[in-house]
Amino acid sequence: MALFDLRLQDVHSKLNNKELSVSDLVGASYARIGETEPAIKAFITLDEENARRQAAELDKQLKEGGERGLLFGLPAGVKDNIVTEGLLTTCASQFLGNYDPIYDATAVRKLKAAQSVTIGKLNMDEFAMGGSNENSSYYPTRNPWNTDYVPGGSSGGSAASVAAGQVYFSLGSDTGGSIRQPAAYCGIVGLKPTYGLVSRFGLVAFASSLDQIGPLTKNVEDSAYVLQAIAGYDERDSTSANVEIPDYVSALTGDVKGLRIGVPKEYLGEGIDPRVKEAVLKALAVYESLGASWEEISLPHTEYAIATYYLLASSEASSNLARFDGVRYGVRADNPSGLIDLYRKSRSQGFGPEVKRRIMLGTYALSSGYYDAYYLKAQKVRTLIKQDFDQAFGKYDLIIGPTAPTPAFRIGEQVGDPLTMYLNDICTIPVSLAGVPAISVPCGSADGLPIGLQIIGKAFDEPTVLRAAHAFEQHTEHHKRRPQL
């Protein structure tokens, strides 16, 4: 664990000074996985043989001398809905239990170019649909802070693996909060970039207008380094934004003097745990002491965000998951009586309850006679939610609030109540609907479980988001706490 507690810069220096080898790092990763994985269950597939082979090759490069990139040799995990050539990508679904991709997602290809080492594929809610990791068709991942509790979702494995010190960083995907919420529950840093900043090519689609790949790390500086590696235009992704990529690391100045912060009253009102509210207010006091100012604001359409999100995301899921039919790839049902029966049996056997629930909801919303009443109206409300953010950012540099309304909950506590589970995303979903960037950083704890602070910025203003998160981190100790497994 000690190696993985080091700052990225420190690991980089030790590698270049020959005090450490890549094989040491990879060996430490698999040793830690061996110690903790029976309790955590963060991984679905490990790639130990290839990882150790790659480590040996990188060690040869180290002996040859020369400066290496900052992600060189670092053990990383990849969420199991991001495709990896020659390494199973199951989306934690029985439907894709045998899916062996023939190409890498752009984000994975960029990590390979940066010469990080993929340790394995991380557990998740099936097809990224869920907020607790209990919807994995394999097994639930557990929170390293208390294994009776959920790690959050859908990127629960990605968050738990970093918190447990199994990998140095991981990639997750965020549709309605699936990077930020598990980061908050597991006491680490999770960044959802602006929609279009990181290529979605090779990300198995859930809701195409919302999905975004981002990093989960132990601190903000490391998040900036990983984002630097994976951001950028990709002609293979029609939603990729062709914008200039700034130096995110140079933005970490620690200076937030004069920064104007808006705090939505809707994010600290009914349903927010008083301990979470107290932690957020203490964090705002830290910003005040650093020369920033904050005011209460209103994002009036927040109350409609949950309904809007689940109509739109489920509609897009219904369309995207139509390709899983037992014909082209994935698991096929045995002995169907005909084509329609093949579809019915393959999808009935392959999809879990939450995926079926969302497909049914989305198909209904898109059906004749209901499209205008539900889907079209939800799109109009999404525009109003985005306008709320646009108006707020006309006056404020950042919006700050809690990442989740409560700390992590017990495994099994909400699995039978989908509506309560959906409400856990009330603070993250509006941000996703608006397409703007947000980061979750640890800001406190309750009953030994971490609490996350969400810092939201203008579109493509990741530098300000990272600067504010880093400044908070430099003046608090929350990010230094580690679970005692």
Side-chain angles (χ1 to χ4, degrees):
M1 189 75 170
L3 277 179
F4 287 54
D5 279 336
L6 294 173
R7 291 170 58 246
L8 190 151
Q9 280 276 20
D10 297 332
V11 175
H12 179 67
S13 297
K14 286 182 178 293
L15 284 170
N16 282 320
N17 293 334
K18 313 294 190 298
E19 299 172 33
L20 196 61
S21 70
V22 178
S23 294
D24 290 335
L25 288 172
V26 171
S29 176
Y30 283 113
R32 182 65 176 169
I33 289 169
E35 294 169 3
T36 59
E37 190 61 6
I40 301 299
K41 297 190 180 300
F43 284 89
I44 291 177
T45 306
L46 292 171
D47 197 26
E48 185 167 0
E49 184 178 343
N50 284 329
R52 290 189 183 276
R53 185 186 304 118
Q54 185 184 354
E57 292 170 358
L58 294 178
D59 283 335
K60 289 179 184 177
Q61 293 184 31
L62 274 178
K63 289 179 182 178
E64 295 168 2
E67 189 68 18
R68 304 297 170 191
L70 281 161
L71 301 187
F72 179 89
L74 291 183
V78 177
K79 187 176 179 179
D80 207 25
N81 62 343
I82 303 172
V83 302
T84 43
E85 184 179 2
L87 182 59
L88 286 177
T89 300
T90 71
C91 291
S93 175
Q94 296 303 312
F95 214 124
L96 290 178
N98 63 357
Y99 179 50
D100 189 358
I102 59 172
Y103 68 99
D104 282 321
T106 296
V108 172
R109 183 171 51 81
K110 289 189 171 188
L111 286 186
K112 284 186 176 180
Q115 296 182 296
S116 68
V117 181
T118 299
I119 296 299
K121 302 301 288 293
L122 292 157
N123 200 9
M124 55 184 282
D125 286 295
E126 184 180 5
F127 283 102
M129 298 181 192
S132 67
N133 225 129
E134 294 169 283
N135 292 326
S136 169
S137 72
Y138 292 94
Y139 34 74
T141 297
R142 295 175 178 268
N143 193 315
W145 293 88
N146 186 329
T147 53
D148 291 333
Y149 286 74
V150 302
S154 62
S155 306
S158 298
S161 64
V162 173
Q166 296 178 335
V167 293
Y168 200 86
F169 68 89
S170 67
L171 292 185
S173 69
D174 192 306
T175 306
S178 291
I179 287 174
R180 291 160 287 158
Q181 185 245 40
Y185 283 1
C186 291
I188 61 169
V189 175
L191 173 64
K192 183 202 86 74
T194 305
Y195 182 79
L197 182 67
V198 177
S199 172
R200 293 188 304 110
F201 180 78
L203 173 65
V204 178
F206 163 18
S208 303
S209 73
L210 296 157
D211 298 340
Q212 189 64 180
I213 294 172
L216 294 103
T217 61
K218 291 186 302 299
N219 58 62
V220 175
E221 184 181 49
D222 291 359
S223 190
Y225 284 123
V226 179
L227 181 63
Q228 197 77 56
I230 63 175
Y233 176 69
D234 181 9
E235 62 183 12
R236 291 174 292 185
D237 174 9
S238 62
T239 61
S240 181
N242 193 357
V243 296
E244 185 178 344
I245 304 301
D247 185 342
Y248 296 117
V249 180
S250 67
L252 308 181
T253 62
D255 180 19
V256 293
K257 192 172 291 184
L259 213 60
R260 299 163 301 170
I261 298 169
V263 180
K265 63 182 182 181
E266 293 83 2
Y267 289 14
L268 292 175
E270 186 180 353
I272 305 299
D273 188 307
R275 299 167 298 177
V276 171
K277 182 176 180 178
E278 182 184 3
V280 171
L281 292 175
K282 285 182 178 178
L284 291 168
V286 172
Y287 280 112
E288 282 187 311
S289 72
L290 297 176
S293 62
W294 69 274
E295 293 177 2
E296 185 181 271
I297 64 170
S298 178
L299 300 175
H301 294 96
T302 298
E303 64 178 299
Y304 307 113
I306 296 284
T308 299
Y309 171 83
Y310 280 99
L311 278 168
L312 295 179
S314 298
S315 296
E316 293 183 27
S318 170
S319 177
N320 280 324
L321 269 61
R323 72 193 70 178
F324 301 105
D325 54 13
V327 175
R328 285 161 286 192
Y329 48 78
V331 176
R332 177 181 295 189
D334 294 329
N335 304 316
S337 60
L339 183 62
I340 300 302
D341 192 46
L342 170 65
Y343 292 161
R344 182 179 62 81
K345 284 184 176 177
S346 295
R347 291 168 70 82
S348 296
Q349 295 168 16
F351 291 139
E354 182 62 26
V355 176
K356 291 175 182 175
R357 182 183 293 122
R358 298 199 193 192
I359 289 174
M360 293 290 286
L361 175 61
T363 303
Y364 179 80
L366 292 175
S367 62
S368 177
Y370 296 100
Y371 179 92
D372 288 349
Y374 294 106
Y375 181 77
L376 187 60
K377 186 171 288 187
Q379 288 286 26
K380 291 177 179 178
V381 178
R382 180 180 188 172
T383 300
L384 295 175
I385 291 169
K386 182 182 183 302
Q387 287 173 354
D388 285 349
F389 281 94
D390 291 343
Q391 290 171 11
F393 285 129
K395 185 176 180 182
Y396 300 97
D397 301 301
L398 294 169
I399 295 171
I400 287 181
T403 306
T406 67
F409 48 89
R410 286 185 179 274
I411 290 175
E413 186 177 325
Q414 296 182 12
V415 73
D417 186 356
L419 290 177
T420 300
M421 187 82 79
Y422 295 168
L423 289 170
N424 289 317
D425 296 331
I426 185 62
C427 299
T428 53
I429 277 175
V431 180
S432 296
L433 291 169
V436 294
I439 195 169
S440 178
V441 295
C443 71
S445 64
D447 297 330
L449 296 166
I451 294 170
L453 180 75
Q454 182 174 213
I455 302 168
I456 307 161
K458 303 171 187 174
F460 302 107
D461 194 15
E462 276 77 4
T464 301
V465 172
L466 289 163
R467 174 163 61 96
H470 183 254
F472 176 75
E473 199 176 69
Q474 296 307 297
H475 292 85
T476 57
E477 301 291 318
H478 306 296
H479 66 289
K480 295 181 180 178
R481 295 177 64 237
R482 296 286 180 267
Q484 301 301 311
L485 276 165

